Amino acid sequence: MKYFFIRIIQTLFLILVIGLPIYGQNAELLTADSLFANQKYTEALKKYENIFNQDKASPAMLTKMAFIQEGLGNYADALFYLNLYYLKTSDKAALTKMRELAEEHNLSGFEYSDFKFMANFIRNYEVEILCVLLAFSLFLLIYGYSKRKKDELPRVSLFLQALTLVLIGLLSNQLFLADTGIVSHDHALLMTGPSAGAEPIDYIEKGNKVTVLQSDVLWTKIRWQEEVAYIRTKNLKTL
């Protein structure tokens, strides 16, 4: 009986430890949604930002944050949250809205193609696609082995096996899933190298979207208008 009560106490303790943070997050989100519904947007935004900083943002929350930021005139932040929403959902309506904002403020980097749409689809379902490719590779391995036992040369399966392994390698190393970022400060200076003593290239305005090649605490290496440059990491929000 004593052991039974100890198990109950342990279970209740685990429920409290796990459940209270979840309840707190849900309560904060409900409060934020209530503030948003009552058009208290700046107060709602503070709540949403707190949840966002805990990596708990839902697609619906991201659209509300984008809406608030656009209303406040913070188009760079609005584009940032819209981009995150699109990366989570692949919703083409978000693409349309981003293009409208980009055109309105004369921004670059928001041109989309079928390849970019497919790359985002792969990003969202990377684990599932990898599992399918690994299963297919295993099937080909078993099939090829059975053919070899019969003294047959499985040329087709060998070709497919090689192709599958190449795809697995590309996907594992994310060779075609380039990171991107949105410039968060006006007149951010682009440099030829990761140093204050490097030659300046140009200024870039906030809201423009760039390809991120490499990043550390101080400097981020980017591709902008087909050229490689460096920008202060604090001036960029990575997606």
Side-chain angles (χ1 to χ4, degrees):
M1 181 66 71
K2 180 179 178 181
Y3 176 76
F4 175 73
F5 281 115
I6 291 173
R7 293 292 295 176
I8 290 177
I9 292 171
Q10 289 175 336
T11 303
L12 289 173
F13 178 75
L14 285 173
I15 291 172
L16 287 173
V17 169
I18 296 171
L20 283 176
I22 295 173
Y23 174 79
Q25 291 163 5
N26 289 337
E28 188 169 24
L29 181 59
L30 288 172
T31 301
D33 286 340
S34 176
L35 289 168
F36 183 89
N38 288 294
Q39 299 183 1
K40 296 180 179 179
Y41 296 128
T42 53
E43 295 175 50
L45 182 61
K46 291 179 182 178
K47 298 286 186 182
Y48 287 140
E49 285 176 340
N50 187 42
I51 298 169
F52 178 84
N53 291 333
Q54 300 173 44
D55 294 325
K56 302 295 183 183
S58 67
M61 193 186 92
L62 291 171
T63 59
K64 291 173 183 175
M65 294 179 79
F67 173 84
I68 296 171
Q69 292 288 14
E70 184 184 3
L72 294 172
N74 302 327
Y75 58 87
D77 289 330
L79 285 166
F80 175 71
Y81 293 121
L82 280 172
N83 245 290
L84 290 177
Y85 169 77
Y86 173 71
L87 291 175
K88 284 178 176 287
T89 65
S90 298
D91 185 352
K92 288 189 175 181
L95 291 181
T96 302
K97 181 61 179 176
M98 283 190 286
R99 278 197 295 265
E100 289 175 356
L101 277 174
E103 290 173 3
E104 181 181 347
H105 297 280
N106 196 27
L107 303 173
S108 299
F110 295 91
E111 303 78 16
Y112 283 87
S113 62
D114 291 336
F115 174 79
K116 288 184 178 180
F117 182 82
M118 183 57 65
N120 189 57
F121 177 84
I122 293 171
R123 186 194 296 269
N124 287 335
Y125 297 98
E126 181 181 353
V127 175
E128 291 84 349
I129 294 171
L130 267 176
C131 288
V132 171
L133 289 173
L134 288 169
F136 185 58
S137 178
L138 181 61
F139 166 77
L140 290 173
L141 187 64
I142 296 170
Y143 175 79
Y145 179 73
S146 66
K147 286 293 185 180
R148 290 296 296 271
K149 287 186 69 174
K150 297 177 182 178
D151 294 327
E152 298 177 15
L153 186 60
R155 291 187 177 87
V156 175
S157 65
L158 286 173
F159 171 76
L160 290 175
Q161 181 72 279
L163 181 61
T164 303
L165 291 174
V166 169
L167 290 174
I168 290 172
L170 289 172
L171 196 58
S172 298
N173 292 287
Q174 297 188 335
L175 294 181
F176 53 87
L177 297 178
D179 289 328
T180 55
I182 292 180
V183 180
S184 56
H185 291 78
D186 266 330
H187 310 300
L189 190 59
L190 299 180
M191 311 290 285
T192 56
S195 168
E199 289 292 324
I201 297 175
D202 200 356
Y203 289 99
I204 185 171
E205 302 303 322
K206 70 177 182 181
N208 283 296
K209 187 177 179 182
V210 299
T211 300
V212 175
L213 304 176
Q214 191 177 347
S215 184
D216 59 32
V217 176
L218 293 177
W219 293 94
T220 297
K221 185 180 181 180
I222 64 170
R223 181 178 294 110
W224 167 246
Q225 295 181 343
E226 305 304 323
E227 292 187 11
V228 174
Y230 289 83
I231 187 173
R232 287 281 190 180
T233 300
K234 66 180 182 180
N235 292 332
L236 192 69
K237 286 188 173 183
T238 305
L239 295 163

